[in-house]
PDB file of all heavy atoms in Angstrom:
ATOM      1  N   SER A 138      49.349  49.649  -0.815  1.00 98.00           N
ATOM      2  CA  SER A 138      48.926  48.403  -0.141  1.00 98.00           C
ATOM      3  C   SER A 138      49.831  48.171   1.086  1.00 98.00           C
ATOM      4  O   SER A 138      50.926  48.749   1.167  1.00 98.00           O
ATOM      5  CB  SER A 138      48.992  47.166  -1.042  1.00 98.00           C
ATOM      6  OG  SER A 138      50.295  46.695  -1.173  1.00 98.00           O
ATOM      7  N   GLY A 139      49.404  47.358   1.978  1.00 98.00           N
ATOM      8  CA  GLY A 139      50.277  46.982   3.081  1.00 98.00           C
ATOM      9  C   GLY A 139      51.488  46.245   2.596  1.00 98.00           C
ATOM     10  O   GLY A 139      52.600  46.400   3.134  1.00 98.00           O
ATOM     11  N   PHE A 140      51.290  45.411   1.609  1.00 98.00           N
ATOM     12  CA  PHE A 140      52.370  44.578   1.063  1.00 98.00           C
ATOM     13  C   PHE A 140      53.492  45.498   0.523  1.00 98.00           C
ATOM     14  O   PHE A 140      54.647  45.430   0.849  1.00 98.00           O
ATOM     15  CB  PHE A 140      51.870  43.635  -0.030  1.00 98.00           C
ATOM     16  CG  PHE A 140      52.778  42.491  -0.312  1.00 98.00           C
ATOM     17  CD1 PHE A 140      52.445  41.207   0.097  1.00 98.00           C
ATOM     18  CD2 PHE A 140      53.997  42.692  -0.992  1.00 98.00           C
ATOM     19  CE1 PHE A 140      53.350  40.178  -0.133  1.00 98.00           C
ATOM     20  CE2 PHE A 140      54.843  41.648  -1.229  1.00 98.00           C
ATOM     21  CZ  PHE A 140      54.539  40.394  -0.811  1.00 98.00           C
ATOM     22  N   ASN A 143      55.519  47.539   3.149  1.00 98.00           N
ATOM     23  CA  ASN A 143      56.645  46.822   3.798  1.00 98.00           C
ATOM     24  C   ASN A 143      57.806  46.789   2.868  1.00 98.00           C
ATOM     25  O   ASN A 143      58.968  46.994   3.260  1.00 98.00           O
ATOM     26  CB  ASN A 143      56.229  45.401   4.241  1.00 98.00           C
ATOM     27  CG  ASN A 143      55.525  45.381   5.574  1.00 98.00           C
ATOM     28  OD1 ASN A 143      55.746  46.279   6.403  1.00 98.00           O
ATOM     29  ND2 ASN A 143      54.716  44.398   5.838  1.00 98.00           N
ATOM     30  N   HIS A 164      54.994  38.038   8.406  1.00 96.00           N
ATOM     31  CA  HIS A 164      54.278  37.983   7.173  1.00 96.00           C
ATOM     32  C   HIS A 164      55.200  38.000   5.959  1.00 96.00           C
ATOM     33  O   HIS A 164      56.270  38.560   6.007  1.00 96.00           O
ATOM     34  CB  HIS A 164      53.341  39.221   7.146  1.00 96.00           C
ATOM     35  CG  HIS A 164      52.359  39.207   6.007  1.00 96.00           C
ATOM     36  ND1 HIS A 164      52.518  39.979   4.860  1.00 96.00           N
ATOM     37  CD2 HIS A 164      51.180  38.565   5.868  1.00 96.00           C
ATOM     38  CE1 HIS A 164      51.501  39.756   4.080  1.00 96.00           C
ATOM     39  NE2 HIS A 164      50.646  38.919   4.648  1.00 96.00           N
ATOM     40  N   SER A 166      55.181  39.751   3.309  1.00 97.00           N
ATOM     41  CA  SER A 166      55.593  41.060   2.819  1.00 97.00           C
ATOM     42  C   SER A 166      56.743  41.601   3.655  1.00 97.00           C
ATOM     43  O   SER A 166      57.582  42.384   3.131  1.00 97.00           O
ATOM     44  CB  SER A 166      54.412  42.022   2.843  1.00 97.00           C
ATOM     45  OG  SER A 166      53.870  42.159   4.199  1.00 97.00           O
ATOM     46  N   ASP A 210      55.454  41.166  13.354  1.00 98.00           N
ATOM     47  CA  ASP A 210      54.023  41.398  13.331  1.00 98.00           C
ATOM     48  C   ASP A 210      53.574  41.837  14.687  1.00 98.00           C
ATOM     49  O   ASP A 210      54.117  41.340  15.696  1.00 98.00           O
ATOM     50  CB  ASP A 210      53.266  40.047  12.986  1.00 98.00           C
ATOM     51  CG  ASP A 210      53.303  39.647  11.531  1.00 98.00           C
ATOM     52  OD1 ASP A 210      54.217  40.093  10.802  1.00 98.00           O
ATOM     53  OD2 ASP A 210      52.454  38.841  11.153  1.00 98.00           O
ATOM     54  N   ASP A 239      54.589  45.620  12.337  1.00 98.00           N
ATOM     55  CA  ASP A 239      53.572  45.508  11.275  1.00 98.00           C
ATOM     56  C   ASP A 239      52.240  45.144  11.995  1.00 98.00           C
ATOM     57  O   ASP A 239      52.105  43.982  12.453  1.00 98.00           O
ATOM     58  CB  ASP A 239      53.994  44.437  10.292  1.00 98.00           C
ATOM     59  CG  ASP A 239      52.886  44.097   9.258  1.00 98.00           C
ATOM     60  OD1 ASP A 239      51.737  44.485   9.505  1.00 98.00           O
ATOM     61  OD2 ASP A 239      53.195  43.512   8.230  1.00 98.00           O
ATOM     62  N   ALA A 241      49.119  44.963  10.895  1.00 98.00           N
ATOM     63  CA  ALA A 241      47.972  44.697  10.042  1.00 98.00           C
ATOM     64  C   ALA A 241      46.754  44.133  10.725  1.00 98.00           C
ATOM     65  O   ALA A 241      45.624  44.480  10.449  1.00 98.00           O
ATOM     66  CB  ALA A 241      48.412  43.801   8.866  1.00 98.00           C
ATOM     67  N   HIS A 242      47.027  43.161  11.680  1.00 98.00           N
ATOM     68  CA  HIS A 242      45.894  42.495  12.337  1.00 98.00           C
ATOM     69  C   HIS A 242      45.668  43.076  13.720  1.00 98.00           C
ATOM     70  O   HIS A 242      44.773  42.583  14.383  1.00 98.00           O
ATOM     71  CB  HIS A 242      46.171  41.021  12.448  1.00 98.00           C
ATOM     72  CG  HIS A 242      45.976  40.253  11.166  1.00 98.00           C
ATOM     73  ND1 HIS A 242      44.727  39.851  10.755  1.00 98.00           N
ATOM     74  CD2 HIS A 242      46.851  39.931  10.210  1.00 98.00           C
ATOM     75  CE1 HIS A 242      44.838  39.255   9.549  1.00 98.00           C
ATOM     76  NE2 HIS A 242      46.165  39.277   9.215  1.00 98.00           N
ATOM     77  N   MET A 267      53.749  50.284  11.292  1.00 98.00           N
ATOM     78  CA  MET A 267      53.237  50.030   9.997  1.00 98.00           C
ATOM     79  C   MET A 267      51.809  49.470  10.148  1.00 98.00           C
ATOM     80  O   MET A 267      51.538  48.731  11.122  1.00 98.00           O
ATOM     81  CB  MET A 267      54.149  49.100   9.258  1.00 98.00           C
ATOM     82  CG  MET A 267      53.703  48.665   7.919  1.00 98.00           C
ATOM     83  SD  MET A 267      52.693  47.186   8.000  1.00 98.00           S
ATOM     84  CE  MET A 267      52.011  47.127   6.393  1.00 98.00           C
ATOM     85  N   THR A 269      47.841  48.491   7.774  1.00 98.00           N
ATOM     86  CA  THR A 269      47.176  48.339   6.484  1.00 98.00           C
ATOM     87  C   THR A 269      45.776  49.001   6.591  1.00 98.00           C
ATOM     88  O   THR A 269      45.206  49.021   7.660  1.00 98.00           O
ATOM     89  CB  THR A 269      47.100  46.911   5.998  1.00 98.00           C
ATOM     90  OG1 THR A 269      46.157  46.844   4.858  1.00 98.00           O
ATOM     91  CG2 THR A 269      46.594  46.021   7.086  1.00 98.00           C
ATOM     92  N   SER A 271      43.502  47.814   4.667  1.00 98.00           N
ATOM     93  CA  SER A 271      42.664  46.795   3.977  1.00 98.00           C
ATOM     94  C   SER A 271      42.016  45.802   4.940  1.00 98.00           C
ATOM     95  O   SER A 271      41.165  45.059   4.471  1.00 98.00           O
ATOM     96  CB  SER A 271      43.553  46.007   3.048  1.00 98.00           C
ATOM     97  OG  SER A 271      44.510  45.271   3.717  1.00 98.00           O
ATOM     98  N   LYS A 272      42.341  45.792   6.217  1.00 98.00           N
ATOM     99  CA  LYS A 272      41.769  44.806   7.089  1.00 98.00           C
ATOM    100  C   LYS A 272      40.654  45.447   7.896  1.00 98.00           C
ATOM    101  O   LYS A 272      39.546  45.722   7.389  1.00 98.00           O
ATOM    102  CB  LYS A 272      42.830  44.135   7.870  1.00 98.00           C
ATOM    103  CG  LYS A 272      43.621  43.220   6.900  1.00 98.00           C
ATOM    104  CD  LYS A 272      44.708  42.389   7.525  1.00 98.00           C
ATOM    105  CE  LYS A 272      45.263  41.470   6.413  1.00 98.00           C
ATOM    106  NZ  LYS A 272      46.672  41.497   6.285  1.00 98.00           N
ATOM    107  N   GLY A 278      45.186  49.734   1.068  1.00 98.00           N
ATOM    108  CA  GLY A 278      46.312  50.680   1.216  1.00 98.00           C
ATOM    109  C   GLY A 278      47.132  50.252   2.454  1.00 98.00           C
ATOM    110  O   GLY A 278      46.744  49.420   3.269  1.00 98.00           O
TER     111      GLY A 278
HETATM  112  C1  PLP B 521      47.648  41.382   5.196  1.00 86.93           C
HETATM  113  C2  PLP B 521      48.969  41.745   5.717  1.00 86.93           C
HETATM  114  C3  PLP B 521      49.823  42.534   5.022  1.00 86.93           C
HETATM  115  C4  PLP B 521      49.501  43.071   3.675  1.00 86.93           C
HETATM  116  O1  PLP B 521      48.490  44.007   3.693  1.00 86.93           O
HETATM  117  P1  PLP B 521      47.693  44.389   2.358  1.00 86.93           P
HETATM  118  O2  PLP B 521      47.177  45.754   2.666  1.00 86.93           O
HETATM  119  O3  PLP B 521      46.589  43.396   2.191  1.00 86.93           O
HETATM  120  O4  PLP B 521      48.617  44.390   1.252  1.00 86.93           O
HETATM  121  C5  PLP B 521      51.016  42.948   5.604  1.00 86.93           C
HETATM  122  N1  PLP B 521      51.391  42.417   6.796  1.00 86.93           N
HETATM  123  C6  PLP B 521      50.607  41.592   7.476  1.00 86.93           C
HETATM  124  C7  PLP B 521      51.085  41.093   8.803  1.00 86.93           C
HETATM  125  C8  PLP B 521      49.393  41.230   6.998  1.00 86.93           C
HETATM  126  O5  PLP B 521      48.630  40.390   7.738  1.00 86.93           O
END
Side-chain angles (χ1 to χ4, degrees):
S138 79
F140 199 108
N143 276 334
H164 189 258
S166 58
D210 280 23
D239 172 343
H242 285 277
M267 178 269 167
T269 169
S271 66
K272 290 184 173 130

